[in-house]
Amino acid sequence: MPTEQELIARATELLARGPLLPPPAERKRLREAAGVTQQDVAVALETKRETVNGWETGRTMPRPPRLAAYKHLLDGWAAMYPPPTGPDAPTGVPETFTGPAEARTLSTGQASEAADMTEPENTQTPAPAPVAAAPAAAPRPARTTRTSSTSRRPGAKKAAPAGTPAGGTDPRFENGPLAVVDVDAGGQVLAYCTGGLVLDVPAKSIPALVDWTLREAKLGQPKLSGPGKDADPLLVLTEAALERYGLPIVLTEEERLAGRIPENHKVIKQLTRADWQLTKRGFGPWARIYRPAKGSDRQCVQLCIPSWNALDTRHWGEAGQLPPAELARVLDVYASRVMTPRGSTAVTGLELMTALHPPTRATAPDENGKRTGEHNPGSLGKDAINPLNWPPCEVPDGHPVLKDLPRFHVRGPGEKLFEEAYDWARPMTDAECTLRFLVGIDVNMAFAAGANGLTVGLGEATHVKQPVFDPKLPGSWLVDLSHVDLSHVKVGKDKWADLDGSLLPSPFTPKGERPEGPAWYATPTVAYAVELGYEVRPLEAWVRYDNGRYLDGWYNRLRDAYLATMADLGVHTDMEPADFLAAMDGYKQRDPELAIVVSAIKATVKGGIGKLRERPRGEGWRPGEPWRALSRPTWRPDIRAAVISRTRINLHRKIVKHAAFTGQYPIAILSDCVVYASNGPSPLDFLPYRDGTALPGGFKLGINPGLVKHEGTQSVLWGEEVRERFDAPELNLARYIKDGTVTDVDNGE
C-alpha cells in the first residue's frame, strides 16, 4: 500500500496540472443554455470572440489568468444547467482534457474507442486543395497517465480540434505526416503528432523504431497527384531521443563536414543486421532508412535530426530549439500546407515540383491486365534531357559540355546565359538628398510570382540560326539589346514615356549596366525589350518546342500555404493599404511558431528555384566531370533562368510605370527590394494611391505574391553617412535598409 505522503504527492502533482475543464462541446452547451454569446464571454474575460470560439471548438485552451476565470464561469453554469437526461440525452462520456495542454497519450484500449470519433478530412488531389487552419499553440503537456498495455500499440486520436491539419481520411495516416520523438522525465519514449496527439513508443533501438513507425504509428501523407507516391513518415529525433537510441547529440567536425556519421557506427550496424538500408548520403541530418520496394509496397522512414543542423536557422529560425509539442506543430503546419519535408527547404521545394508532376504514370492495363510505366505528360520525364547534350550557353562553368574549353577560360555574355536577380545602386541626386527618408519596399514571394503562369521547356532544346523571336517560345536567345534606350520607352498601347534613363537600371543585366553587344537572354528578357517598343533580331537560339506551364501547381500550393499562414497571423488579402501596413507591423510576435512556417515557405520557393541548377557538392568532383545532380530530371538551369528573368522584368516594369507617373526613381535594388527617397517614412508617402487604388501596373501594397510590403525605413543622412564612411557612393543601401545595420561592405575594390 502507498504511504500517506506518497498519495499526497500524487494529489499535489494532479493539482499542479491546473483546473479541469469540461470537453469543448460541453463548454458550448453551457454557454448556449445560459443564453450568452461568445462576444459576451470575450468582453467579460477581456479577450476576443475568436479566442472564445477557439476554446469551444477545442482548437485552443485558455491560459492563466483567464483559465481560472473561465472555469469559474463554466462551473457556475454547470450548476444551473446540468446535462440533459432521458432517452434523448447524448450517450457516451467524451474524454476530458487535463490542464492547459490538449496533448494526450492514448493506450491501446483508449485508441480503439477514439478511432470511431475521428473526423473525416478530404484527401489531397492534384489541384491545390483549400488550406486547413493552423492548430493553435499549446504548452508542452505534463506527462500523462496511460492505461497499461502489453503491446503498447498506438491508436487513432480522438476527433481533432476544428481546424487542425490532419493526414486525411486514409486510415494509414490518421496520426498525421510526422512525429517528434522525445523522452519524458520518467524515461518513456513519446511521439508528438498532429493536433496534440502523443503516442507511446515501445521501440528500444533505431531498427525497432523504424519498424514500429511503419507497422503501428499510422504516420504519412497521401500523394499530391494521381500518379504520385504517398509521402514517407517523418520522425524528428530530439536530443533526448538521440541519447536513448545511441546516436551522438552533435556531430564532430569531421562528421559535420562529411554530412554523416561513420559507416562503422553501431546504429548503422544495427540497421544492416535488420536488413535496412541507407541512401547514398548515409546517416546524416536527413537520413532515409528503407528496404527496396516490392511492387507498390514502400518501406521507408525519414529521420530529421535538428541538433545535427537539419533545420537550418536561416530558414527555420529557432524551430530546432522548440519543445517537442511546439516543434511538431510547426512541422505539421508546413507539411499539411506544403508537403512533408524531404530535407532542406531547397530540397523540399524541388521535391514538391516532382510530387505535383511525377515523371511517370501507369498505363492502362493490357489484355493480360498488366500495367507498365510511361511518361507523364506535362512533367519533366526521366531521361527527357541527356545530361551531356545541354546547350553550352545554359550550363554553369565546369559542366561536361564545356570540358574542351581552354583552362581558365572566362565566358562572356556572348557565351553564357546570365540571368540573375538585381544588385544595383546609384548615387543620390541633389534633389533626393534634400528629402528626409529612404524607404524600402519588398515584393512578396517575388520568385513564386515570377513562376506563376510561366511557360517553360519540358524537353530538349533545338538549336536555331537567325530565328524570328517568338515571345511564347521558351528558350535562350543570342541577341543584341544595346540599342534599347530607357529614356524613351513604351508604357502602354501606343503610349510612350520620356524618362531619365541615367537614373534607371538596365532590365537586361543584374548589375543594371547597359549591354554592350550580343548576349544570351531567356525569353522573358527579350520579350520585355519588345514590350518597351524596340525591335529585336536574334542571331541564334536554343528553343524548346515541348513546353508547358510546369510550375503553376507548384506556385498555387506555395501561394496558398503562404496566404493561409499569414492570415493566421492576422494579415489578410483584402486589407486597405494602411490596415495592411499596420497588420504587418510585428506580425511575427503574434505567433512566433507560425512565423517560422512563413519563413520556411519563402525559403522553399527560393531554394526550390535555386536547386534547379545545383552545383557539385564535393564528392571529389573535378571540372569537366558529371556530378550527381545532372542525372535528375529536375536539373533544369533553363527553368531557373526563366523564372529569375521574369522576376527581374516584373520588378523593372513596375519601376518604369512608377517613374513615368511620379518622376521618382529607385536609389537601390537588391533582388526583390527597392529603395526610394521620400519625404515621409511610410510607403504611402511616395506610392501614388488615389482613393485607395494603386497605380495600374505599378507597386501595390498587399500580401499576395507580386504585391509589396514595407521592408524598412532609414534617414537620408544615414545613407549618405554610410556611403561616405565606406567611400562607396554606389553602396547598395537596399542590403541594409531593414534595420540599418551595415556589415560585410564590399565597395568593389
Side-chain angles (χ1 to χ4, degrees):
M1 292 289 293
T3 65
E4 180 178 338
Q5 289 76 13
E6 289 174 337
L7 292 175
I8 292 176
R10 294 178 187 176
T12 302
E13 181 184 354
L14 187 61
L15 284 172
R17 294 181 182 176
L20 294 178
L21 295 180
E26 177 67 2
R27 302 169 202 170
K28 180 180 180 181
R29 186 196 71 79
L30 289 170
R31 176 184 57 76
E32 292 178 342
V36 175
T37 67
Q38 291 181 342
Q39 183 63 34
D40 294 334
V41 178
V43 171
L45 300 184
E46 295 188 7
T47 186
K48 296 180 180 179
R49 187 199 64 79
E50 292 80 5
T51 302
V52 177
N53 183 66
W55 299 345
E56 292 188 356
T57 59
R59 190 170 63 253
T60 60
M61 283 287 286
R63 300 185 182 184
R66 293 182 179 86
L67 175 60
Y70 187 49
K71 182 180 185 301
H72 177 72
L73 189 62
L74 295 174
D75 287 346
W77 285 336
M80 291 185 287
Y81 310 105
T85 59
D88 296 330
T91 58
V93 179
E95 178 186 15
T96 299
F97 291 98
T98 305
E102 295 199 52
R104 66 257 184 221
T105 303
L106 304 182
S107 70
T108 304
Q110 295 168 321
S112 59
E113 178 182 354
D116 298 329
M117 303 169 64
T118 305
E119 295 179 355
E121 298 268 351
N122 290 330
T123 55
Q124 295 167 340
T125 62
V131 182
R140 184 181 178 181
R143 188 179 179 203
T144 51
T145 303
R146 294 178 298 278
T147 304
S148 61
S149 170
T150 55
S151 63
R152 305 180 81 90
R153 289 174 55 88
K157 57 184 177 296
K158 180 186 174 181
T164 300
T169 57
D170 193 325
R172 297 172 301 163
F173 311 133
E174 64 182 52
N175 291 337
L178 55 88
V180 178
V181 180
D182 190 36
V183 182
D184 69 5
Q188 173 62 43
V189 181
L190 303 174
Y192 292 76
C193 307
T194 296
L197 172 68
V198 182
L199 304 176
D200 284 330
V201 180
K204 305 298 184 184
S205 66
I206 289 293
L209 179 64
V210 173
D211 187 68
W212 170 83
T213 302
L214 294 172
R215 291 177 180 272
E216 302 183 36
K218 297 183 180 179
L219 297 174
Q221 190 175 39
K223 57 190 177 182
L224 297 181
S225 67
K229 299 175 181 176
D230 297 325
D232 298 319
L234 173 66
L235 297 181
V236 184
L237 303 184
T238 66
E239 293 183 7
L242 292 174
E243 187 174 16
R244 166 63 62 91
Y245 290 120
L247 290 165
I249 294 177
V250 295
L251 298 178
T252 66
E253 182 66 16
E254 182 180 357
E255 291 169 344
R256 187 185 63 80
L257 293 174
R260 65 183 74 187
I261 58 177
E263 296 296 324
N264 61 356
H265 192 280
K266 64 178 182 180
V267 170
I268 296 181
K269 292 180 179 179
Q270 291 172 358
L271 290 168
T272 302
R273 286 195 297 269
D275 295 327
W276 291 107
Q277 300 181 28
L278 294 165
T279 60
K280 291 182 179 179
R281 295 205 179 276
F283 204 121
W286 289 94
R288 297 190 70 80
I289 303 172
Y290 72 99
R291 288 186 178 125
K294 297 178 180 178
S296 61
D297 180 27
R298 285 173 56 81
Q299 288 189 299
C300 183
V301 173
Q302 180 158 320
L303 303 183
C304 167
I305 305 179
S307 65
W308 295 5
N309 199 34
L311 301 175
D312 193 323
T313 55
R314 294 172 298 175
H315 309 141
W316 290 100
E318 300 303 315
Q321 305 301 317
L322 292 174
E326 284 85 338
L327 178 55
R329 177 187 182 232
V330 167
L331 293 176
D332 178 59
V333 173
Y334 179 89
S336 65
R337 294 180 174 177
V338 180
M339 70 179 299
T340 304
R342 292 289 303 274
S344 67
T345 50
V347 169
T348 304
L350 202 65
E351 290 290 337
L352 180 60
M353 297 180 195
T354 302
L356 293 169
H357 285 287
T360 59
R361 67 178 183 182
T363 63
D366 58 19
E367 61 275 9
N368 298 318
K370 185 178 180 181
R371 298 176 183 267
T372 58
E374 66 176 4
H375 172 65
N376 184 27
S379 72
L380 304 179
K382 292 182 178 179
D383 303 322
I385 295 181
N386 187 323
L388 304 182
N389 196 31
W390 273 91
C393 64
E394 292 182 346
V395 299
D397 294 337
H399 191 278
V401 303
L402 305 176
K403 63 181 179 181
D404 294 330
L405 285 179
R407 193 177 183 188
F408 305 121
H409 175 75
V410 178
R411 293 184 294 161
E415 300 174 279
K416 180 181 180 181
L417 178 67
F418 192 66
E419 296 283 12
E420 299 295 340
Y422 268 129
D423 185 355
W424 170 88
R426 63 169 176 82
M428 283 186 275
T429 65
D430 292 342
E432 289 165 342
C433 288
T434 66
L435 302 177
R436 297 179 59 194
F437 298 100
L438 296 176
V439 183
I441 53 178
D442 180 79
V443 181
N444 296 314
M445 300 271 282
F447 292 102
N452 181 29
L454 178 64
T455 300
V456 299
L458 301 176
E460 290 192 344
T462 300
H463 189 221
V464 184
K465 289 283 190 180
Q466 302 294 327
V468 175
F469 176 68
D470 183 351
K472 297 181 180 179
L473 192 58
S476 302
W477 309 78
L478 181 63
V479 59
D480 189 350
L481 300 180
S482 61
H483 62 292
V484 178
D485 185 1
L486 294 180
S487 62
H488 186 65
V489 297
K490 203 172 183 180
V491 293
K493 186 177 181 181
D494 301 325
K495 184 178 180 181
W496 291 74
D498 293 322
L499 307 173
D500 188 342
S502 66
L503 300 180
L504 287 171
S506 167
F508 309 128
T509 60
K511 291 292 185 181
E513 302 161 341
R514 189 167 179 168
E516 298 179 351
W520 286 98
Y521 303 102
T523 297
T525 302
V526 186
Y528 186 57
V530 176
E531 180 184 326
L532 292 174
Y534 291 87
E535 183 182 14
V536 297
R537 295 181 178 178
L539 302 175
E540 60 178 298
W542 290 89
V543 296
R544 290 174 167 84
Y545 297 107
D546 179 14
N547 55 65
R549 291 168 55 158
Y550 173 74
L551 295 173
D552 275 8
W554 182 82
Y555 162 78
N556 289 334
R557 187 161 181 87
L558 289 166
R559 175 205 60 196
D560 292 348
Y562 175 68
L563 293 180
T565 311
M566 289 302 297
D568 288 337
L569 289 164
V571 186
H572 303 277
T573 58
D574 55 355
M575 289 181 148
E576 293 298 316
D579 295 336
F580 166 71
L581 292 175
M584 287 295 294
D585 187 19
Y587 76 91
K588 294 182 179 180
Q589 281 67 53
R590 293 178 201 136
D591 191 328
E593 293 170 15
L594 287 185
I596 292 174
V597 178
V598 171
S599 173
I601 292 170
K602 294 194 290 188
T604 302
V605 173
K606 287 188 176 181
I609 296 299
K611 201 78 171 173
L612 290 167
R613 197 192 66 166
E614 183 177 353
R615 305 297 299 275
R617 300 167 61 89
E619 305 167 3
W621 175 82
R622 293 182 180 180
E625 297 178 350
W627 58 91
R628 183 183 301 172
L630 296 186
S631 61
R632 252 185 3 224
T634 48
W635 192 83
R636 293 300 302 270
D638 59 309
I639 296 180
R640 172 188 179 274
V643 172
I644 294 176
S645 163
R646 192 161 185 249
T647 303
R648 192 182 67 247
I649 294 307
N650 284 347
L651 183 60
H652 195 275
R653 184 182 294 110
K654 290 180 172 62
I655 290 170
V656 167
K657 295 275 188 179
H658 185 85
F661 188 81
T662 67
Q664 299 170 337
Y665 296 85
I667 302 296
I669 310 173
L670 183 68
S671 187
D672 45 13
C673 175
V674 188
V675 176
Y676 283 91
S678 170
N679 261 328
S682 167
L684 287 175
D685 292 316
F686 71 92
L687 293 182
Y689 271 83
R690 286 184 178 177
D691 299 325
T693 302
L695 172 68
F699 295 108
K700 180 180 180 180
L701 290 166
I703 197 59
N704 290 78
L707 304 189
V708 299
K709 61 180 182 292
H710 185 204
E711 178 69 4
T713 296
Q714 304 297 329
S715 69
V716 167
L717 290 177
W718 165 85
E720 288 295 272
E721 188 275 329
V722 167
R723 285 178 163 178
E724 183 177 346
R725 187 197 329 161
F726 293 100
D727 191 23
E730 296 184 7
L731 180 69
N732 194 333
L733 298 175
R735 181 173 278 108
Y736 317 108
I737 195 70
K738 190 165 190 175
D739 60 8
T741 303
V742 182
T743 57
D744 301 326
V745 169
D746 180 4
N747 60 10
E749 297 181 1

